[in-house]
Amino acid sequence: MSKFNQAKRIYFIGLKGVVGFSAKHLDRPIDLVIRSSAYSDDQVEVKAAKEKKIPVLSYAEALGELAGEYKSVAVCGSHGKTTISAMLAHVLKQANLSPSAIVGSAVPQFGGNALVGSGELLVFEADEYQNKLQYFSPQSVILTSIDWDHPDFFPSADDYFATFVTFLKKIPTDGFVVACYDSDNVKEAVDKAGLSPEQILTYGLTDGRLQMVRMWLDEGRWHFSATDGEEYLGEFWLKLVGSHNVANALAVIACARRLGVDLEAIRTGLASFEGTARRFENKGKLTNGITVVDDYAHHPGEIKATLKAARAFYPYKNIRCVFQPHTFSRTQALLADFVMLFINRQFRRQLII
């Protein structure tokens, strides 16, 4: 069990963990079973819990109940959820708001993938797969993008799109959405959700009220300037790589300002954020001096953004992309997009599968 990071954390905080599955694990007083959606009702422990009339919730259902106890911000969309969730939580923490947070990857500055704060705010990554969004009723939402994904569950792009529209309609009248208007699909979803103008905060690299003016790379840090309507917000800098992370930072600026965070506190928080695991994560160098970077990008749009960021950050280096296809269904459904990406003259000499 020691080889699993989550198991290490369980033991570190004093909880008892067991390896393997057995109905005997439920032969003691248990109030609630939370299961991964990877396990069906026939899984041995789930089945035993149901036979013993022990309440069973999926992870998404449990997260929805937890989020209901807070003034919550759900970060959703096809891309950027993990980075924005962690970045926003970090900025709020640095601003002394003591938020709680649940992120879909390890965040080194958190010592794990979560924060437990004493404040009223919860920032959480809201995964759309298997329509988990149906279990969440957040106060506010950040919507990054809508690019058809998870074809094993959403048979068409229209089905996928409709899930986000339904989710936005759940925002209460005193809540808001921070929407990336670089995406036409996001624009359409916000329009169909029927929110009032006061509830809609827009951002983007090229469109939206809060917008990037220019960006540049200087001494290994990404710098950018931004405006909010007619207001010039000044310059910001990031430890993260790529224009997509500038867009992520814009979402955080828009949300944090709406939550009452001072602009200078936001600027300081962004500058100190170190990123999350497997998001352009520098893993070190091989014995021959080659730098190895690990990134979870698995959708054609994400891979394109990561490769563009790598080229910008290492302009004079040879770059090789070692691509591991992620799920058969996605690879099959989006094969044409993968092919068009990798035969692009900019990337075609970089691919190893």
Side-chain angles (χ1 to χ4, degrees):
M1 196 168 195
S2 61
K3 67 180 179 180
F4 298 107
N5 288 333
Q6 294 296 343
K8 289 180 180 178
R9 295 190 187 102
I10 288 173
Y11 277 107
F12 181 76
I13 63 176
L15 296 178
K16 181 181 179 181
V18 293
V19 179
F21 299 112
S22 170
K24 293 181 179 180
H25 294 158
L26 286 89
D27 289 342
R28 54 194 173 94
I30 293 176
D31 297 316
L32 175 67
V33 171
I34 300 176
R35 64 168 175 173
S36 164
S37 60
Y39 298 117
S40 69
D41 289 346
D42 292 332
Q43 198 271 349
V44 59
E45 292 182 347
V46 174
K47 186 176 180 180
K50 288 181 176 292
E51 289 174 350
K52 293 175 179 288
K53 308 299 182 183
I54 300 172
V56 178
L57 296 179
S58 68
Y59 166 77
E61 289 171 318
L63 176 55
E65 291 202 6
L66 176 65
E69 300 296 320
Y70 290 84
K71 183 178 179 180
S72 62
V73 179
V75 183
C76 69
S78 308
H79 320 300
K81 296 186 291 293
T82 295
T83 297
I84 292 176
S85 300
M87 187 186 290
L88 176 59
H90 175 77
V91 167
L92 297 177
K93 181 182 179 183
Q94 295 302 109
N96 297 317
L97 293 183
S98 192
S100 296
I102 300 175
V103 183
S105 180
V107 186
Q109 288 168 293
F110 296 175
N113 75 318
L115 285 177
V116 179
S118 59
E120 64 177 353
L121 293 172
L122 169 68
V123 179
F124 70 97
E125 182 172 339
D127 181 18
E128 75 276 13
Y129 183 48
Q130 298 172 328
N131 193 16
K132 295 185 180 76
L133 299 181
Q134 67 182 300
Y135 301 116
F136 310 140
S137 297
Q139 177 81 9
S140 302
V141 170
I142 296 177
L143 177 56
T144 69
S145 48
I146 304 176
D147 294 327
W148 182 38
D149 200 358
H150 307 299
D152 58 319
F153 187 84
F154 300 103
S156 72
D158 288 342
D159 294 312
Y160 186 73
F161 175 84
T163 299
F164 289 99
V165 175
T166 301
F167 188 50
L168 293 179
K169 289 181 178 180
K170 297 167 72 174
I171 297 175
T173 55
D174 59 344
F176 60 87
V177 61
V178 177
C180 182
Y181 267 32
D182 289 333
S183 166
D184 289 338
N185 285 338
V186 169
K187 289 181 183 178
E188 184 179 353
V190 171
D191 182 63
K192 287 181 178 296
L195 301 171
S196 67
E198 295 77 19
Q199 292 181 280
I200 303 170
L201 310 178
T202 65
Y203 74 94
L205 297 177
T206 60
D207 200 355
R209 178 179 173 85
L210 200 156
Q211 194 172 140
M212 182 269 298
V213 177
R214 73 184 187 100
M215 58 183 164
W216 63 99
L217 184 64
D218 183 31
E219 296 183 351
R221 296 181 70 120
W222 228 267
H223 296 246
F224 67 96
S225 56
T227 56
D228 188 350
E230 299 299 318
E231 180 185 3
Y232 180 65
L233 303 181
E235 296 181 2
F236 301 82
W237 48 96
L238 303 171
K239 293 182 178 181
L240 308 187
V241 174
S243 59
H244 59 293
N245 279 316
V246 171
N248 292 339
L250 293 173
V252 170
I253 294 169
C255 187
R257 293 192 88 195
R258 183 61 173 257
L259 293 173
V261 181
D262 176 76
L263 184 60
E264 292 310 310
I266 297 172
R267 204 184 317 275
T268 300
L270 289 176
S272 62
F273 179 62
E274 297 176 359
T276 69
R278 300 202 66 198
R279 302 311 190 269
F280 211 86
E281 182 183 10
N282 191 320
K283 304 296 287 186
K285 292 187 176 184
L286 303 178
T287 55
N288 58 5
I290 294 175
T291 298
V292 177
V293 174
D294 183 20
D295 197 284
Y296 184 60
H298 51 273
H299 186 282
E302 295 167 349
I303 297 169
K304 181 178 180 180
T306 299
L307 290 177
K308 286 179 67 177
R311 173 49 64 211
F313 196 69
Y314 299 109
Y316 306 113
K317 299 285 188 179
N318 291 322
I319 296 174
R320 295 292 180 267
C321 171
V322 182
F323 172 56
Q324 179 184 15
H326 188 269
T327 77
F328 170 81
S329 56
R330 178 187 288 112
T331 306
Q332 181 183 50
L334 303 180
L335 183 61
D337 296 323
F338 282 114
V339 171
M340 291 304 297
L341 170 66
F342 288 125
I343 66 172
N344 185 297
R345 182 172 62 182
Q346 183 179 3
F347 303 131
R348 64 187 177 192
R349 294 184 180 181
Q350 303 176 9
L351 178 65
I352 301 172
I353 300 180

